[in-house]
Amino acid sequence: MIIDVLAGHDARELQGQGPLLADITALYAANRDFHTLSGDFPDPDDISPAQVAQALTGELANPDTEILLARVEGRLVGIAITLAHHPDPADPDPWIGLLMVDPALHRRGYGRRLASLVEDRFRATGRTGTRLAVLANNPRALAFWTALGYEVIDHRPDRAAGRPCAVLRKRLRVPRRAARIAVVDPEGAVFLFRYDNVEVGVHWALPGGGLEANEGPREGALRELREETGWTDLEPGPLLCTWEHDFTHSSRPVRQHEHIFVTHGPHREPTGPHLAAAHSVDDILAWRWWSREELAQEPEPVWPPGLAGLLDGWEGHR
């Protein structure tokens, strides 16, 4: 799916884009059921290009509005209208004012994909949440958005027409690159830290953390290992796995993409004068070496899940 930003700031310019306006009008007309519920057009069975051009011109009169056209193999399949800043100064989030997909293409994932791309655009500008309003008489739309992780936070009339609506919000996670190293001692035990995270709670994870700008995973994993353990004589071996998970870092919800390496090392304790400060910043509670048998039982969550099996597989292919 490719996203284009609609150009044009008045009805005359939109009218001048004949084929494009015709495609958008066809998309609007195909969504008759929605327009019957919304009442945005006088006759949902007779939506004209002039009406669509006027509606879009009204949206574009607000400089915070962006109209996005979704195409698949050149075909217009959907439209989204977003608002970077709500008129209420107490509302910090951008809004999705409209997201509409050709009904002939429903149940193919296009709506989900378009919503995801809109969220990505918000993330790219540093926004940490997005909101939208669903008409109270549109339970299908409510089911769609809640399935995407949006939660109802309020019920109130919309500003434009006073229609009863549910207001929904989704917390947007910021992508974060990270890397870790599984250090395995001569007996097969692996070294883990015990963390306490405000979102996911107590869990165990390998030494490592977020990558710095322009830092590669292997380089970052080694730097983090040295900072968190004081061990300066190890090098990351082969890549054990990659995985993604959600948690909160520095008060921001993130989706963390991790590269996990594995290497051999002696059985020892972390050392160094700066460990306590580093562990306090990262919410590290404790550390210990886990035998493979203990690890397989996982009395508390271990990241990545299934670490014991990953290490067994690595040793089996050496």
Side-chain angles (χ1 to χ4, degrees):
M1 181 177 287
I2 297 175
I3 296 294
D4 294 323
V5 179
L6 179 65
H9 301 283
D10 58 41
R12 182 174 299 175
E13 290 185 24
L14 290 171
Q15 289 282 17
Q17 302 180 48
L20 175 59
L21 183 57
D23 287 345
I24 299 174
T25 302
L27 177 63
Y28 271 66
N31 279 274
R32 175 194 176 280
D33 291 345
F34 170 74
H35 295 300
T36 298
L37 295 175
S38 70
D40 290 335
F41 294 91
D43 184 355
D45 291 313
D46 186 22
I47 298 176
S48 70
Q51 290 173 327
V52 172
Q54 182 177 6
L56 297 181
T57 298
E59 298 286 355
L60 291 170
N62 186 334
D64 285 335
T65 295
E66 192 169 52
I67 299 178
L68 307 174
L69 304 178
R71 299 183 183 278
V72 174
E73 297 180 352
R75 175 183 177 182
L76 181 66
V77 300
I79 186 171
I81 301 178
T82 66
L83 184 65
H85 300 95
H86 193 270
D88 183 352
D91 184 345
D93 296 322
W95 279 65
I96 300 174
L98 174 71
L99 190 143
M100 194 162 57
V101 171
D102 184 344
L105 301 175
H106 282 182
R107 301 188 181 278
R108 299 190 186 183
Y110 290 151
R112 287 174 173 268
R113 180 59 178 154
L114 179 53
S116 177
L117 291 174
V118 170
E119 293 166 2
D120 287 345
R121 294 177 72 86
F122 291 150
R123 288 190 189 93
T125 59
R127 313 303 288 271
T128 58
T130 182
R131 302 189 189 199
L132 55 89
V134 173
L135 295 172
N137 60 356
N138 195 352
R140 291 181 59 185
L142 183 64
F144 171 80
W145 290 109
T146 54
L148 296 187
Y150 287 77
E151 298 179 349
V152 176
I153 61 170
D154 195 8
H155 292 87
R156 64 175 186 249
D158 70 349
R159 296 172 66 94
R163 297 166 296 189
C165 292
V167 178
L168 292 84
R169 184 180 191 270
K170 180 177 181 178
R171 184 168 58 171
L172 297 180
R173 296 187 177 275
V174 178
R176 185 172 188 253
R177 299 166 57 243
R180 300 184 183 276
I181 300 180
V183 180
V184 180
D185 76 2
E187 301 300 321
V190 62
F191 182 83
L192 294 172
F193 284 120
R194 190 171 187 254
Y195 291 84
D196 187 9
N197 182 262
V198 66
E199 178 180 350
V200 299
V202 173
H203 62 281
W204 293 83
L206 302 163
L211 303 183
E212 296 179 352
N214 301 319
E215 186 176 49
R218 190 176 296 272
E219 177 187 5
L222 184 58
R223 175 187 52 76
E224 286 282 340
L225 178 68
R226 290 171 176 170
E227 292 175 358
E228 294 181 346
T229 66
W231 303 338
T232 60
D233 56 344
L234 299 179
E235 293 290 337
L239 183 68
L240 182 66
C241 71
T242 61
W243 81 299
E244 298 182 356
H245 61 95
D246 295 338
F247 77 117
T248 296
H249 179 265
S250 299
S251 301
R252 298 184 70 186
V254 301
R255 164 59 62 91
Q256 184 144 296
H257 307 257
E258 292 191 358
H259 283 70
I260 296 178
F261 302 93
V262 60
T263 192
H264 280 294
H267 188 107
R268 55 187 168 180
E269 299 299 299
T271 184
H274 306 297
L275 290 182
H279 291 180
S280 177
V281 170
D282 292 337
D283 295 319
I284 295 175
L285 304 178
W287 62 75
R288 60 169 287 199
W289 290 87
W290 289 61
S291 71
R292 200 63 53 80
E293 292 77 14
E294 292 172 329
L295 191 62
Q297 297 175 9
E298 295 189 4
E300 291 182 323
V302 174
W303 292 359
L307 179 58
L310 291 170
L311 294 174
D312 289 343
W314 165 66
E315 291 182 340
H317 289 87
R318 289 173 54 210

